[in-house]
Amino acid sequence: MQTLKDLTLDKLINLYEGVVVHDRKQIVEWDGHRGTLIYEIKQRTLAQDKMILGALKCARANGYSSEE
């Protein structure tokens, strides 16, 4: 994962949007391995990263600015 300088909420959201896209790409690439442990781990990773992204977007929508 990248290291961000001058971390802001918008930069973090942008980073996690990229992470979710990468996770989805991994699921497509590993589609032939359904039922394997690595495929299930990739699915859980995608679900976790989507949850984090959703929480970040919710925080922004509710006025959190990360400058506190």
Side-chain angles (χ1 to χ4, degrees), residues 23-65:
D23 291 347
R24 286 183 180 143
K25 182 180 174 191
Q26 288 289 302
I27 294 290
V28 170
E29 290 176 357
W30 283 82
D31 191 53
H33 300 281
R34 286 180 182 256
T36 62
L37 180 60
I38 190 78
Y39 186 81
E40 291 176 17
I41 290 170
K42 290 183 182 299
Q43 285 184 314
R44 284 190 296 239
T45 301
L46 173 60
Q48 175 182 318
D49 291 339
K50 284 172 64 176
M51 186 183 330
I52 292 168
L53 178 59
L56 292 169
K57 286 182 175 182
C58 182
R60 181 178 60 189
N62 286 297
Y64 180 75
S65 67

Side-chain angles (χ1 to χ4, degrees), residues 2 7 16-17 43 46 48:
Q2 300 175 14
L7 184 63
Y16 264 93
E17 285 175 340
Q43 285 184 314
L46 173 60
Q48 175 182 318

